[in-house]
Amino acid sequence: MEKILDLIAREVEAVFAGCGYDKKYAKVTLSNRPDLCEYQCNGALAAAKEYKKAPFLIAEETAAKLAENKMFSAAEAVKPGFLNLKLKESYLAGYLNEMKKDAGRFGFEAVRQPKKIMIDYGGPNVAKPLHIGHLRSAIIGESIKRIGRFVGHEVIGDVHLGDWGLQMGLIVTELFHRKPDLVYFDQDFTGEYPEEPPFTISELEEIYPTASAKSKEDEAYKEAAMQATFEMQNGRRGYRALLSHILNVSVTDLKRNYADLNVTFDLWKGESDAQPYIPDMVQKMKDDGYAYISEGALVVDVKEETDTKEVPPCMILKSDGASLYNTTDLATIVWRMKDYHPDEIIYVVDKRQELYFTQVFRCARKTRLVEEDTKLTFHGFGTMNGKDGKPFKTRDGGVMRLERLVSEINEEMYQKIAENQSLTEEKEARETAKTVALSAIKYGDLSNQASKDYIFDMERFTSFEGNTGPYILYTIVRIKSILTKYRAMGKNTADAEILPARSESEKALMLEISRFQAAVENAFAETAPHKICAYIYDLANALNHFYHGTKILTEEDENVRAGYISLLALTKDILEKCIDLLGFSAPERM
Ligand code: ARG
């Protein structure tokens, strides 16, 4: 279906053209004075110059024609030359009925030329617990993926595990201290390594911090860890076997954590998967004359004349020949191009890595790892702060682990639900608390423009009132409960016609619904899930306003009542579609 704004614009253009004015003046926008009108056109003001006529005359002339149109209930010229428009109630109802027929998409047509888009998000580091720094990447990336798919693109999510750094060597070293007799440390061993990992996830989670702490105090220990990392990276068999154990155990745990956040990835590739591509890539950079030795290291210059800040060269190999985070990201681009040839790769990463990605992208372009038509996009996000304005910490000042944060919010939500006493069964109350808590976390995050820092305010985010996830869910649940009651009266909620609005609040709700397409389109074009949040907040407000001012189930006219129900059902379906695009869902009751 065409967007309602486009349909309106087309009518206004035809009228402008019919009156002898260029249709470029017929630009229509949403009204910025909703008290006066719904849509407006300011084109008469600009046309006045070209046609040497008073703007008001032009507005009047076009208004007279538009007033006769099937689409408008009012078209008014206002001095000095505004054109104020209101949609006809029957037209709007017709539009909504069309939306309703297109179940699940509400008239949103998939793009004709789908792109292949890869999203690099999540970015957890193996064996290190997920902390809240990883939360934003997961939440934002997941939503961008879902919106992109709904719009019609092929979107591939890749978790890009951090599995190639010093942490791996640290784990190996600590394991050697504890269990030196393990077969993995025997250099002469040539047989098959055991399938059972030599540690559990809780051991692994304890091993890493212990090793990390030791390495900060003990130089020799750190040396050993670096050596182990080096040997692992260079293919020492026993260490590689340990690497795959670490990966397996860790990934199982990560998947569980992400599942709790309603986040899933298509690819579980890591930094280690890029390693095989490094030698050829480096050789080519040298052969083509892009990479050169500077102070022992191999680098590629990436500064540009127009730079206002210094952009240092991109380091490809350290002087000892070791690869770096950069090298891995570049080699990752190599396999992504080879295996997928995406039109775009979007990186959802902390904005503090922006300069780093500028270097990587420029280097990838310069050395032709990507073709001209592949876009590389850095979607940097800000920090999640505590109420003190500093990065979010635990009460005793430590790094907050993701699991802990989630369970604290779950508990808070459970308390609230228990107080409300709307759910008497413990199990349902717990489940519901989890669902609502996730909406609080995700909406609290996504309703902010991603690049901005924001304050994680538990009390505000979990509130059932205001611009929050729980408020949106509450609205959905409210509608569900009305629909259930209606069904209990023996009625079918599905097939009634939505009738022309009978009140201001009903029309306002219908106008909000009609903007669904534009909201989603915009959110995708600007990679801005917060636009969907803003849309559903307006929609939920319009719904609640209508609900408070209207007798719905007690309406006597059966057709009118059925029309209301149909409108509510459509509102609910759209709200649920939108929260699905944001990555959470609504309970049946709360
Ligand atoms: N593992 C990294 C971190 O924790 C994030 C990875 C981001 N993605 C990338 N392609 N570099 O900071």
Side-chain angles (χ1 to χ4, degrees), residues 120-125 128 131 134 137 159-163 271 325 329 332 336 347-350 353 356-357:
D120 180 313
Y121 70 109
N125 298 315
K128 295 192 200 174
H131 60 79
H134 295 112
S137 180
V159 71
H160 199 74
L161 290 171
D163 60 357
E271 294 170 353
Y325 187 45
D329 261 317
T332 299
R336 284 183 179 157
Y347 294 79
V348 185
V349 184
D350 191 311
Q353 293 190 29
Y356 165 78
F357 275 100

Side-chain angles (χ1 to χ4, degrees), residues 379-393:
H379 195 64
F381 54 80
T383 310
M384 172 172 145
N385 289 324
K387 271 189 171 169
D388 57 0
K390 302 212 181 85
F392 203 84
K393 293 262 158 65

Side-chain angles (χ1 to χ4, degrees), residues 36-37 66 107 186 231 254 345 401 423 491 495 506 520 534 565:
L36 297 180
C37 62
L66 286 165
D186 177 1
E231 287 180 30
L254 283 169
I345 310 176
R401 287 177 56 166
L423 299 175
K491 311 282 186 192
D495 24 302
E506 188 183 10
V520 176
I565 293 293

Side-chain angles (χ1 to χ4, degrees), residues 273-526:
D273 291 291
Q275 301 314 309
Y277 298 91
I278 292 178
D280 285 355
M281 177 184 85
V282 171
Q283 192 55 48
K284 194 163 174 308
M285 286 180 180
K286 285 189 196 159
D287 293 348
D288 293 348
Y290 295 119
Y292 66 94
I293 304 284
S294 165
E295 292 169 33
L298 188 71
V299 302
V300 172
D301 280 330
V302 291
K303 61 173 188 287
E304 287 172 6
E305 261 173 38
T306 48
D307 288 342
T308 49
K309 270 187 278 172
E310 196 194 325
V311 183
C314 192
M315 205 194 280
I316 310 296
L317 293 178
K318 288 202 276 194
S319 48
D320 62 2
S323 56
L324 302 109
Y325 187 45
N326 293 347
T327 331
T328 302
D329 261 317
L330 289 164
T332 299
I333 293 179
V334 173
W335 72 250
R336 284 183 179 157
M337 289 306 290
K338 181 172 120 348
D339 294 351
Y340 293 91
H341 204 105
D343 297 294
E344 182 174 8
I345 310 176
I346 302 177
Y347 294 79
V348 185
V349 184
D350 191 311
K351 72 177 176 201
R352 284 170 292 191
Q353 293 190 29
E354 177 152 25
L355 175 63
Y356 165 78
F357 275 100
T358 303
Q359 292 174 296
V360 169
F361 291 176
R362 284 185 184 180
C363 181
R365 268 208 201 286
K366 184 170 178 182
T367 63
R368 294 174 211 276
L369 303 183
V370 285
E371 277 151 50
E372 292 279 334
D373 53 5
T374 295
K375 220 169 125 190
L376 298 172
T377 309
F378 177 71
H379 195 64
F381 54 80
T383 310
M384 172 172 145
N385 289 324
K387 271 189 171 169
D388 57 0
K390 302 212 181 85
F392 203 84
K393 293 262 158 65
T394 55
R395 274 182 204 130
D396 47 26
V399 175
M400 179 66 114
R401 287 177 56 166
L402 191 58
E403 264 184 303
R404 166 116 178 250
L405 175 83
V406 172
S407 69
E408 278 185 15
I409 301 176
N410 283 348
E411 191 51 39
E412 172 91 10
M413 219 61 237
Y414 175 73
Q415 295 304 338
K416 268 199 180 165
I417 287 176
E419 266 166 40
N420 282 352
Q421 293 187 322
S422 49
L423 299 175
T424 42
E425 206 205 317
E426 159 92 13
K427 190 164 161 278
E428 189 187 357
R430 287 271 171 210
E431 278 304 310
T432 304
K434 263 173 96 174
T435 308
V436 184
L438 191 60
S439 81
I441 301 175
K442 288 198 164 186
Y443 192 94
D445 188 306
L446 292 169
S447 55
N448 301 287
Q449 197 179 324
S451 61
K452 300 224 166 93
D453 296 348
Y454 75 94
I455 290 181
F456 187 90
D457 181 340
M458 173 90 93
E459 220 169 85
R460 190 168 76 74
F461 286 9
T462 57
S463 169
F464 285 21
E465 279 152 43
N467 191 3
T468 69
Y471 169 68
I472 304 291
L473 297 195
Y474 196 78
T475 306
I476 294 172
V477 166
R478 163 171 279 164
I479 304 177
K480 285 186 177 179
S481 127
I482 300 171
L483 298 182
T484 310
K485 284 186 193 137
Y486 187 69
R487 271 191 296 269
M489 294 158 76
K491 311 282 186 192
N492 186 345
T493 52
D495 24 302
E497 284 271 303
I498 294 173
L499 301 177
R502 292 154 51 91
S503 66
E504 282 291 320
S505 69
E506 188 183 10
K507 188 169 186 196
L509 172 60
M510 291 171 80
L511 283 167
E512 282 303 338
I513 292 177
S514 74
R515 289 171 196 144
F516 166 75
Q517 289 200 54
V520 176
E521 200 177 273
N522 225 335
F524 180 74
E526 296 177 26

